[in-house]
Amino acid sequence: MRNIDLSRLITTEAKAAAAVAAAGFAAKAECRARIFAVVDEIAQINLAAAAAADRLNPVDLATYRAGLDWIQAMRVAYLTQEPGADVNWPPVPEGMAELAAQF
């Protein structure tokens, strides 16, 4: 009689679920990298502080708000993608990279 531990058997369904999870993590990492390529963490913190302290002129404030909407759209894009499909990333708002570079 053999002692085979079938609890360690990896099923096709488990492999497929792992592949979907890995694709989700990869899309999240790509989303983060794309956002940080435009506005890194420090710039985001400094922009939020400037906006909260009413230190942005109306044009910069509008650009900042468009940037916040863009970040949210980026997150929605990767969360709603079909497994294995290319993500349709939203375009960066005009002036966002230039504004972030100041912070």
Side-chain angles (χ1 to χ4, degrees):
M1 181 175 226
R2 297 182 186 174
N3 291 329
I4 299 174
D5 184 3
L6 296 178
S7 67
R8 295 183 172 222
L9 185 67
I10 299 173
T11 65
T12 304
E13 292 82 12
K15 280 186 178 182
V20 168
F25 288 129
K28 182 177 182 176
E30 183 176 355
C31 178
R32 178 183 172 103
R34 286 174 178 263
I35 291 169
F36 285 172
V38 176
V39 55
D40 64 23
E41 286 178 289
I42 299 302
Q44 288 182 46
I45 291 167
N46 290 335
L47 274 165
D54 199 26
R55 300 288 178 138
L56 296 177
N57 66 47
V59 172
D60 288 347
L61 184 58
T63 302
Y64 171 66
R65 288 180 175 158
L68 291 176
D69 292 341
W70 170 71
I71 290 171
Q72 182 60 32
M74 291 288 286
R75 291 176 178 151
V76 168
Y78 94 79
L79 287 171
T80 59
Q81 77 168 6
E82 291 295 321
D86 288 336
V87 179
N88 186 15
W89 299 110
V92 178
E94 187 176 327
M96 188 62 215
E98 294 80 9
L99 178 61
Q102 297 175 27
F103 290 87

